[in-house]
Amino acid sequence: MDELTAFLEARLTEDEKAARTGDLPEEVWGARGWHDPELVLSECRTKRRLVLYATTQLDESHGFDVLKLLALPWSARTDYRQEWRT
């Protein structure tokens, strides 16, 4: 679970940085650039709260299930592990 948590934290940090610098990739901006960077930052804050909830309030099995769901949007990355796929 620690590796998955670290993976999520790294992806969220990347998205936050991109939103702050205006360097969001097309998969975040969309083909027409319609996403608001403030929305991306809000989503990152929400996902961080879910990571915290999953790692501190749920038992390990249920927490891991929540983290795996949160990681799915990044499943095409080379550092995503197939055992995290739900």
Side-chain angles (χ1 to χ4, degrees):
M1 193 153 97
D2 291 341
E3 288 182 43
L4 180 51
T5 301
F7 173 85
L8 286 165
E9 291 293 335
R11 300 300 71 77
L12 293 170
T13 297
E14 287 172 356
D15 284 357
E16 287 168 334
K17 181 179 177 185
R20 287 189 179 102
T21 62
D23 191 26
L24 291 168
E26 186 175 313
E27 62 266 16
V28 175
W29 276 114
R32 297 187 182 150
W34 56 270
H35 271 103
D36 178 354
E38 288 302 316
L39 177 61
V40 174
L41 292 171
S42 177
E43 289 175 353
C44 289
R45 285 189 297 271
T46 300
K47 290 173 183 176
R48 284 188 188 282
R49 290 179 69 183
L50 286 168
V51 169
L52 181 64
Y53 177 76
T55 57
T56 63
Q57 301 299 313
L58 298 177
D59 63 65
E60 190 170 342
S61 175
H62 289 104
F64 193 53
D65 287 343
V66 169
L67 296 179
K68 289 189 296 185
L69 289 169
L70 287 170
L72 279 174
W74 294 288
S75 63
R77 290 183 55 102
T78 58
D79 53 345
Y80 178 88
R81 301 172 108 191
Q82 289 306 307
E83 63 262 23
W84 296 339
R85 189 171 296 282
T86 57

